[in-house]
Amino acid sequence: MNLTKKGYKQRYIDDKVDEYLEIFGAVAVEGPKWCGKTWTSLNHAKSVCFITDPQGNFQNRTLAELSPDLVLDGDSPRLIDEWQEVPSLWDAIRFKVDQSGKKGQFLLTGSATPNHKGILHSGTGRFGLLRMRTMSLAETGDSTGEVPLASLFDKEIKPRAIAEPSLRELVYYCVRGGWPGALGASETAAMNMTKSYLEAVIADDMFKVDGIKRDERKVRSLLHSLGRNESTIASNATLNKDMAALDEVELDKNTISDYLSIFERLFLIDDQLAFSPSIRSSRRLLKSPKRHFADVSLAVAALSATPEILYNDLETFGFLFEALCEHDLRIYAEKIGGKLYHFRDNRGHEADAVIELPDGRWSALEIKLGASQIDKAAEELLEIKRIMTDEGRPPHSLGVICGITKAAYTRPDGVHVIPITALG
C-alpha cells in the first residue's frame, strides 16, 4: 500500500515516476522547495525516511551520517526525503542497487543540488533523474485541459467554446503561482508566501548549498533584475547594467555567474533554451536562453508587484503571462516526451515557444494576452514557417496560446488558437 496523502492532487509527473521505477533501481525527483516533491513521491512509496525530521534531535540525519544503511531498510520503493542533507546517501543507495539488481528500490527527493565532494559515482544507469516543477493550470484545476498539447500536432483542432477568464483571474494565477500550498489562498497570502520564499533563499538557502556567505544586498538586486527581465533573453552583462542603473549595484561577471549557478542548484531559475534545428543555413539563430524563475509568482515577488500594479502595467504583465504559459507548456511537453525551446533569429523573427517531439516534429507558438493580438501573431508564425521551409526544416504546426479568449479552433490559414485555460 502506498503512502498517498489525503487530498493529494494527481500530477502530470506521476506517470513518469511509475515509468522510471520500472527502468531504474532508484529515481531522484528534484525541484524547488514546496513544489510537491514529497507528496508526489509518497504517492509511489511504500516506506519513507524523512532526513530532516526534527524528532529525536534530527535522529534520522544523525543515523544517516553515522551509517547510511540504518535509514535505507524498508519496503520498496523506499522514499528518502531531502537526501542532499547527507550526500553520502547517494553512493550508499547506488551500492544497494548494484547489489540486488532490482528495479524501483528507492525514491529520492531533493530541493538543492549538493556539492559532490565525496560522491564517487554519478549513478548513471542506476538512477533516473526527474525534474519536478510547480503545478500547471491543468493540475490546479484552473484549466479544463480539454485541448491536449498533443493536439497541436493534429491537422486541426475541433472548434469548441471556452469560458473566457477575466484579466483579474489571469493576474491572480501569476501572483499565486503553481505552489500546492497556495491553492485557494488569497492574493495577499500568496504574495506573502512567495516573498518569504525569496527571503529564505537570500538569508539561508544559498549559504546551505556551499557554506559561503554572500552579500544580501547584491543577491536582492540580482533577483530584482531577473524579475525585471523575466521572459527576455537578457545576458549576464545586461543584468549587470540593469542592476547598476536601477539599484546602483554592480557585480563582476564572475560574481553574477556564481550567484546564478547557486540559483540553478536551488532550482530557483528554469531558463528556456533556444531552438537549434539541425540545418545548414546562412541565417543565424540566436542561442541565448530566455530568462525564467521556476515559478512566475517568484518574478512577481522579485518585482514587489501587486495585482493593482499589474492591472495598470499590461506591458509588464504581458511578460509575466508569457512566463506562466511557458511554465505550463514545459510540463505538458514533458508529459508527451517533448521539450520546450524558444526561436529567434538575427533578422528579428521570433516565436515565444517551440515544442519539439522525440520524432523531430516541432511546433512554433506565440503567446498573447488578448484575442485582438491573434492576427498579428499568426502573421509572424506564418513568416517563420516560410523561412524554415526554405531552410529545409519547416514546423509541423503553428499555434497561438491566448489568455482572454472564448474559443479553441483552427484558423483558415492553419494556425491553431488555444486558450491557456483549456490547454493540458
Side-chain angles (χ1 to χ4, degrees):
M1 182 177 179
N2 291 346
L3 305 177
T4 307
K5 288 281 190 178
K6 184 178 180 180
Y8 176 68
K9 283 182 174 287
Q10 199 75 14
R11 304 290 292 272
Y12 276 31
I13 199 174
D14 275 306
D15 289 343
K16 191 64 71 173
V17 173
D18 282 334
E19 177 187 330
Y20 272 40
L21 284 171
E22 294 181 359
I23 299 172
F24 299 100
V27 178
V29 181
E30 302 176 320
K33 293 189 306 181
W34 304 354
C35 74
K37 299 181 301 297
T38 300
W39 277 39
T40 290
S41 296
L42 286 170
N43 190 43
H44 302 270
K46 293 185 178 178
S47 66
V48 60
C49 175
F50 297 102
I51 296 299
T52 57
D53 185 349
Q55 186 174 356
N57 196 24
F58 294 93
Q59 176 178 303
N60 286 344
R61 183 165 59 195
T62 301
L63 289 174
E65 290 169 342
L66 289 172
S67 176
D69 281 347
L70 296 174
V71 299
L72 297 185
D73 287 337
D75 293 339
S76 296
R78 180 159 176 80
L79 170 59
I80 309 298
D81 190 55
E82 298 293 356
W83 73 271
Q84 81 281 350
E85 294 288 329
V86 184
S88 58
L89 282 168
W90 183 273
D91 275 351
I93 290 171
R94 181 205 59 80
F95 183 76
K96 283 256 186 186
V97 168
D98 278 351
Q99 289 293 102
S100 72
K102 294 179 181 179
K103 309 299 183 185
Q105 292 183 68
F106 294 98
L107 274 165
L108 293 77
T109 65
S111 53
T113 303
N115 284 326
H116 281 75
K117 293 177 181 177
I119 297 179
L120 303 179
H121 299 278
S122 67
T124 302
R126 292 91 156 185
F127 287 78
L129 301 180
L130 286 174
R131 174 70 179 265
M132 189 170 181
R133 295 175 170 84
T134 57
M135 301 176 83
S136 65
L137 293 179
E139 291 169 310
T140 63
D142 297 303
S143 169
T144 64
E146 60 192 288
V147 184
L149 182 67
S151 64
L152 274 169
F153 295 89
D154 297 335
K155 290 185 178 180
E156 64 178 286
I157 291 173
K158 183 179 179 181
R160 68 195 77 194
I162 302 295
E164 183 178 88
S166 65
L167 177 61
R168 186 171 194 88
E169 287 175 300
L170 296 178
V171 169
Y172 173 70
Y173 298 153
C174 288
V175 169
R176 180 203 64 193
W179 309 102
L183 297 186
S186 67
E187 291 174 339
T188 300
M191 287 189 294
N192 286 336
M193 178 182 289
T194 47
K195 286 178 182 177
S196 68
Y197 193 109
L198 290 183
E199 286 301 315
V201 168
I202 296 167
D204 191 38
D205 293 347
M206 293 183 72
F207 178 78
K208 281 184 176 180
V209 169
D210 59 8
I212 298 174
K213 185 68 175 176
R214 292 170 175 83
D215 188 320
E216 290 190 8
R217 179 168 175 261
K218 292 178 179 179
V219 175
R220 291 180 199 280
S221 180
L222 180 55
L223 289 170
H224 293 165
S225 183
L226 287 169
R228 289 189 289 264
N229 288 282
E230 176 68 34
S231 301
T232 75
I233 57 170
S235 66
N236 288 6
T238 299
L239 293 176
N240 203 7
K241 290 177 183 177
D242 179 70
M243 293 164 64
L246 295 176
D247 297 334
E248 298 184 351
V249 170
E250 289 191 61
L251 299 176
D252 62 60
K253 64 179 182 180
N254 291 331
T255 302
I256 283 190
S257 295
D258 171 62
Y259 285 13
L260 291 175
S261 175
I262 295 297
F263 292 165
E264 287 176 355
R265 291 172 64 180
L266 290 170
F267 304 103
L268 186 70
I269 54 178
D270 196 5
D271 292 344
Q272 182 179 347
L273 299 180
F275 184 54
S276 299
S278 300
I279 56 174
R280 295 183 178 181
S281 170
S282 60
R283 181 179 302 272
R284 187 167 66 90
L285 299 184
L286 304 186
K287 304 298 184 184
S288 299
K290 190 187 292 189
R291 301 283 184 183
H292 285 307
F293 277 96
D295 188 274
V296 63
S297 65
L298 294 173
V300 175
L303 289 168
S304 297
T306 64
E308 289 71 27
I309 288 173
L310 298 179
Y311 297 143
N312 294 306
D313 185 354
L314 291 184
E315 181 179 1
T316 296
F317 180 64
F319 286 106
L320 296 173
F321 176 71
E322 181 181 331
L324 172 75
C325 294
E326 286 164 349
H327 167 274
D328 286 12
L329 283 168
R330 196 190 300 261
I331 292 171
Y332 305 150
E334 289 175 348
K335 178 177 173 58
I336 59 175
K339 293 183 179 180
L340 175 73
Y341 302 97
H342 74 93
F343 176 98
R344 189 178 302 241
D345 70 15
N346 62 337
R347 302 181 194 180
H349 299 290
E350 61 181 281
D352 293 325
V354 167
I355 306 296
E356 185 178 36
L357 298 184
D359 62 11
R361 289 182 296 161
W362 62 284
S363 178
L365 307 173
E366 280 285 277
I367 296 168
K368 298 299 177 185
L369 183 57
S372 63
Q373 302 168 296
I374 291 174
D375 286 344
K376 183 177 180 181
E379 289 177 10
E380 176 63 18
L381 290 170
L382 290 166
E383 178 62 12
I384 288 174
K385 182 176 181 179
R386 184 194 66 76
I387 290 168
M388 298 306 290
T389 299
D390 290 344
E391 301 289 0
R393 194 185 172 193
H396 183 85
S397 63
L398 306 172
V400 180
I401 308 301
C402 197
I404 303 173
T405 190
K406 296 180 178 180
Y409 59 95
T410 300
R411 293 162 46 102
D413 56 18
V415 177
H416 301 312
V417 177
I418 305 177
I420 188 61
T421 50
L423 193 61

